[in-house]
Amino acid sequence: MSALVGIIGACVLILVGMIMKGGSIGGIISPPAFIMVIGATLGVMMASSGLDTVPKMIKLCLGPGMKDPAERRAETIAILVEFAEKARREGLLALEADIERLDDPYLKKGVRLVVDGTEPELVQDILETELEQTEGRHRKNQEIFKNGAAFAPTIGILATVLSLVSVLQHLDQPDTLGPKISAAFLATFYGVMAANIFFYPMANHLKRHTESEVATKTLVIEGVLSIQSGDNPRVLADKLWSFVPPALRAPGEAAPAEPVGAGV
Amino acid sequence: MSALVGIIGACVLILVGMIMKGGSIGGIISPPAFIMVIGATLGVMMASSGLDTVPKMIKLCLGPGMKDPAERRAETIAILVEFAEKARREGLLALEADIERLDDPYLKKGVRLVVDGTEPELVQDILETELEQTEGRHRKNQEIFKNGAAFAPTIGILATVLSLVSVLQHLDQPDTLGPKISAAFLATFYGVMAANIFFYPMANHLKRHTESEVATKTLVIEGVLSIQSGDNPRVLADKLWSFVPPALRAPGEAAPAEPVGAGV
Amino acid sequence: MSALVGIIGACVLILVGMIMKGGSIGGIISPPAFIMVIGATLGVMMASSGLDTVPKMIKLCLGPGMKDPAERRAETIAILVEFAEKARREGLLALEADIERLDDPYLKKGVRLVVDGTEPELVQDILETELEQTEGRHRKNQEIFKNGAAFAPTIGILATVLSLVSVLQHLDQPDTLGPKISAAFLATFYGVMAANIFFYPMANHLKRHTESEVATKTLVIEGVLSIQSGDNPRVLADKLWSFVPPALRAPGEAAPAEPVGAGV
Amino acid sequence: MSALVGIIGACVLILVGMIMKGGSIGGIISPPAFIMVIGATLGVMMASSGLDTVPKMIKLCLGPGMKDPAERRAETIAILVEFAEKARREGLLALEADIERLDDPYLKKGVRLVVDGTEPELVQDILETELEQTEGRHRKNQEIFKNGAAFAPTIGILATVLSLVSVLQHLDQPDTLGPKISAAFLATFYGVMAANIFFYPMANHLKRHTESEVATKTLVIEGVLSIQSGDNPRVLADKLWSFVPPALRAPGEAAPAEPVGAGV
Amino acid sequence: MSALVGIIGACVLILVGMIMKGGSIGGIISPPAFIMVIGATLGVMMASSGLDTVPKMIKLCLGPGMKDPAERRAETIAILVEFAEKARREGLLALEADIERLDDPYLKKGVRLVVDGTEPELVQDILETELEQTEGRHRKNQEIFKNGAAFAPTIGILATVLSLVSVLQHLDQPDTLGPKISAAFLATFYGVMAANIFFYPMANHLKRHTESEVATKTLVIEGVLSIQSGDNPRVLADKLWSFVPPALRAPGEAAPAEPVGAGV
């Protein structure tokens, strides 16, 4: 939601400002500039990240781009503490029945490994490898947008220089000079616009998804290993809640550990 | 205070210089440019950091932005050394009565964990996790302002290019050309101004708050663990004072460990 | 393939856009600008990376530049698991016969070290050193292109400034001014074009080759050491598959460990 | 010395070149531009680093800025080896008499801790914490100048854009246009000058002081711990001299460990 | 050689291109611009790196700048393996006679330490400290050139702005305007040229020397410690050759560990 609202809002405000200044939307449409800037940017993005860059980009925009990262830490802690209590009372095998009702496949995998009696080192190894792989995969997705943000403005300038070169070769028609130079600068506008209103914000937005994913998975690793080693559920809760910012803590949980007045 | 004084001072000096040069404040007010630059910058900041970016930003400006980071290391050391002495004389449980009179919730939490008889590894784990989480949360707050600082100037240039494009399409009215180009450059001015007079300095200001917070919390971790392991209070004082720059050391404490002349 | 398609596609689109705007290919050809920009860029690239920079660059373009990194993880896991089973059943020496049919020289080397009875620490040491050396060598190759990308635009600007300097010394021939300034800007165009349409995308493309190579070799190290220590083949498979993104996992392998809806 | 010579030399050469080209010193003096650029830069530097930024900056310029970092490694090694010999012959307590004649307070502190019979781990802890704190404090000092270097040019451009905006609103007085645009660019000149002739070189100069300080303190830590553990003074000398570049080694010390011809 | 050829080649090509375009070498000579840009750049480089920056820079250009890094890994391995064999057959003391015929002082030092019976930890400590010190010293040398590359273009722009300021104050002599603006831009040309044709390529060139030095010294550490611990010479050879890229391996050594076709 925030990506959609922010990006569309920024576009609308720029157009509104332009119209208030007397510009017209028709005046900023130039198919050749669009082909040069957006086309060539997509080309070098494909050269950088593979032939499936464009469908991947669209999938990312329609998938995580359309929703904000969910905050699942509080409920994950609740489940982990509940499982720790059950495992203490009835043994690890008692968790088998509960695996199926879990929504989060990562938590599911962790609990199943524990129930299957996998060695702790291997459980940790497998869960951490999976976390690193997820992070790496997300980082590559962000890189697609970062590449776009890096290439678009320079390709915009490239197209503008190219257009100016051809304008300057025909200085003998002074009355068409203004509109031609104007059209040349549209390419810079397209490039800077694509980078700053779309590519960079999207990369930042995806980064938030990653951070949220990593935060939850870190909790799961910590929790699953604690369950396996039979830690006291109360101690586990203490440990897990210290991963969560005070503002998100369940009522009754450890008081905020910062001067209230600071408000940072 | 320093953020307020510095930022307002910079604004005033720029306006004073402008007026000395014969400019007028009315001449730099352009609602369309303001909508384009500040509006779109806030839009992409929301796309980058979530829908609550603007209220968060205001809260940060009114909270830590209005005051300088407090130097609490000397008094924290005094408390920790006092507690270490009491714990040595009367046992860890004797500290229970003193917990309530502590102001710093982080120190409070640390001492309570020790009094409750939590294992040292877990105390360290919980306090360090909390420290890392605080740092991470602060870093995200700084990032909001850094994002603003990164986007504002390019969006200012974007708006200027867009305005110039429409100016250049109407070169046939030469007498309005100057003011129109002038108005186009106001967008660049707004963007560069927002980034360099507001966003960057605020990010730096918040960073100082974080550093101060981390410095104090590091002391607390070191001290609480020392109290728990029953270290000699004198040794603890020695260790803790080496975290504090000579200039801030209590009189009688370890002499400055640098050539006095160097003054670095 | 992706490098070829992306780079040529970008060039074509830029030319198409230019022609749509009324420019001509003849108008952007300037041998002196080409000599200045491309020649001097190659010169400083040689000063930076050695006299064999140009042949190396051509070799890289014709070699890995012409094909996309192969995804060999699934088949590598299959081989490693098969070897683990055989080694468990028939002993490590039984693998000797299979070494020759391996295509991947790194895997070959790893298995041979194991069959030869080399100590595990040394096997790990040798394979990791080789991996680091490969990474370092690839990084140097990428650096050649990154250097080109860093130098080309500034040398383009250099050549443009130099040309403008000589244009400005002869302002008395106003009718040749336009084409001369136009020709001066061609140097900037060449530099920015070389950097953004060729050097940067190629550096990114080579980086993907490296990542793919490292991913496969990491699997091999993990697998070979597991075979040597006689781990359970099923456990080995579990461990290795967690290095592979869910989408590439063999059917029947561990279900994706992410909320399906997230699609990140 | 080097900062003073280099910075004043650079200023003089720039003025000399300007006068050779026919410019006059009077022509580059503009109080409004000075107020805008230098004033606002100091303002945002205060917002970034605290209200005492300006006095701190002056103190740093007059203190370490006026002298070059002293090379104290050779004499420090001589003292440490001498102390190691004495401690071996007469015991650690015999060093007590020599503490007072030491100039370097850090070395003094280290030797006193050893003479006082502090545990080795704690000695190392205290000395390393003090080293880290010194480095951190120095880094903050460098940051003041780096902030100045980052803000000054953009604020210069800000002031120039602001001045151009007001110039462009009065295109109807063409005869005052040149001087007015000229005055507008003075702000850019001030900003770039402040950053490149003063702030950056000073930051680099302070960095050299830090490196020299850290190098000497590292020797002291290594040496004091060696003295405490009763190492052979000859072995200690060998170890300490390997921290010193061959060119600075005492005659008779380990020969240079590089091909003489390389001269790197 | 490569630095010399690359840098001179780049200069020649830029001049050739300029002459092809009708410029003259006389037209780009401006002593005032030279004094401003090169003089002030050297000044701030001295402020940054000390008063001996210029002689150091000249020494580096005439020393390592004139030759390419030598590839000494293959022969170093040969010597180390030979020594390992001799030490195994005849004991470590037998190496004493061979020390004198070694050219590389670092290898010499390492072998002497072993022959003298120094403890392994200390040998490693001394050799690694020496390696780190060499790297640090080289890094500082590279920094001299990187500083030059960072300062030169901005000081060029500074000088150009300063010249334009004085040109714009005398718009009443339009016929001298062109040549004066032209001369102003020469300063930018000098600065960008110095940075991109000299400083950056030299910094990159020195970096290659460092990498080559570090690669050889790493081999020596690994080898000397292996000799001291009496490792099997064959195993040592295996270990050391994995530090060398396949293309440089002695015939008969481990086959390349990469798909031959990849050619990366």
Side-chain angles (χ1 to χ4, degrees), chain C residues 5 7 36 38 97 107 114-116 167 236:
Chain C
V5 169
I7 289 174
M36 282 200 270
I38 305 303
L107 177 52
V114 165
V115 170
D116 288 356
V167 170
L236 174 63

Side-chain angles (χ1 to χ4, degrees), chain D residues 2 6 13-14 17 21 27-28 178-179 182 193 196 204-205 207-208 211 235 239 242-243 245 249 256-258 262 264, chain E residues 39 43-44 47-50 64 105-106 122 125 129-130 133 137-138 140 143 154 158 162-163 165 168-169 171 183 217:
Chain D
S2 60
L13 289 172
I14 287 173
K21 281 191 146 181
I28 59 168
S182 159
M193 181 96 178
N196 286 282
N204 289 339
H205 181 78
K207 203 177 129 203
R208 270 194 299 143
E211 286 167 354
V235 167
K239 201 151 79 178
S242 62
F243 280 96
R249 285 185 193 164
E258 271 176 297
V264 194
Chain E
V44 295
S48 297
S49 312
Y106 188 72
L122 193 59
D125 227 49
T129 305
E130 185 114 14
Q133 295 295 320
R137 209 161 57 252
H138 283 216
K140 272 194 199 167
E143 232 160 61
T154 34
L158 187 81
L162 190 55
S163 306
V165 161
L168 288 163
Q169 285 167 339
L171 286 184
K217 290 195 166 161

Side-chain angles (χ1 to χ4, degrees), chain C residues 48 105 122 130 133 137 154 165, chain E residues 178 182 196 204 235 243 256-258:
Chain C
S48 297
L122 193 58
E130 185 113 15
Q133 295 294 321
R137 209 160 56 251
T154 34
V165 161
Chain E
S182 160
N196 286 283
N204 289 340
V235 168
F243 281 95
E258 270 175 297

Side-chain angles (χ1 to χ4, degrees), chain D residues 23 31 67 88 109 114 154 160 199 215 219 235 239 248 259 261:
Chain D
K67 52 177 177 293
R88 269 216 145 186
K109 184 173 189 175
V114 164
T154 33
T160 295
F199 285 121
L219 275 185
V235 167
K239 201 151 79 178
L248 294 174

Side-chain angles (χ1 to χ4, degrees), chain A residues 72-220:
Chain A
R72 295 182 290 131
R73 281 181 290 182
E75 50 172 301
T76 304
I77 293 179
I79 296 176
L80 285 166
V81 172
E82 187 201 320
F83 276 35
E85 284 163 354
K86 190 164 182 186
R88 269 216 144 186
R89 277 197 321 269
E90 316 173 22
L92 284 169
L93 286 179
L95 299 177
E96 183 133 43
D98 299 295
I99 294 179
E100 278 321 303
R101 68 174 176 88
L102 292 175
D103 287 331
D104 176 353
Y106 188 73
L107 177 52
K108 217 167 180 168
K109 184 174 189 175
V111 177
R112 174 160 298 138
L113 283 167
V114 165
V115 170
D116 287 357
T118 321
E119 275 178 72
E121 283 76 34
L122 193 58
V123 173
Q124 183 167 9
D125 228 49
I126 289 179
L127 292 181
E128 283 180 353
T129 304
E130 184 114 14
L131 174 54
E132 279 160 27
Q133 295 295 320
T134 305
E135 260 194 288
R137 208 159 58 251
H138 283 215
R139 205 177 42 241
K140 272 195 200 166
N141 288 341
Q142 292 165 30
E143 231 160 61
I144 291 178
F145 290 89
K146 279 190 194 157
N147 277 342
F151 282 124
T154 34
I155 292 181
I157 289 170
L158 187 81
T160 294
V161 170
L162 190 55
S163 305
L164 286 179
V165 160
S166 107
V167 169
L168 287 163
Q169 284 168 339
H170 305 284
L171 285 184
D172 43 339
Q173 302 142 306
D175 44 332
T176 67
L177 212 62
K180 273 183 171 169
I181 295 178
S182 159
F185 275 102
L186 270 181
T188 297
F189 169 70
Y190 288 171
V192 177
M193 181 98 177
N196 286 282
I197 309 294
F198 176 65
F199 286 121
Y200 271 129
M202 271 310 290
N204 289 339
H205 182 78
L206 291 178
K207 204 178 128 204
R208 271 194 298 145
H209 274 280
T210 309
E211 286 168 354
S212 154
E213 198 72 30
V214 169
T216 311
K217 290 195 166 160
T218 305
L219 276 185
V220 169

Side-chain angles (χ1 to χ4, degrees), chain E residues 206-220:
Chain E
L206 291 178
K207 203 178 129 204
R208 271 193 299 144
H209 273 280
T210 308
E211 287 167 355
S212 154
E213 198 72 32
V214 168
T216 311
K217 290 195 166 161
T218 305
L219 275 184
V220 169

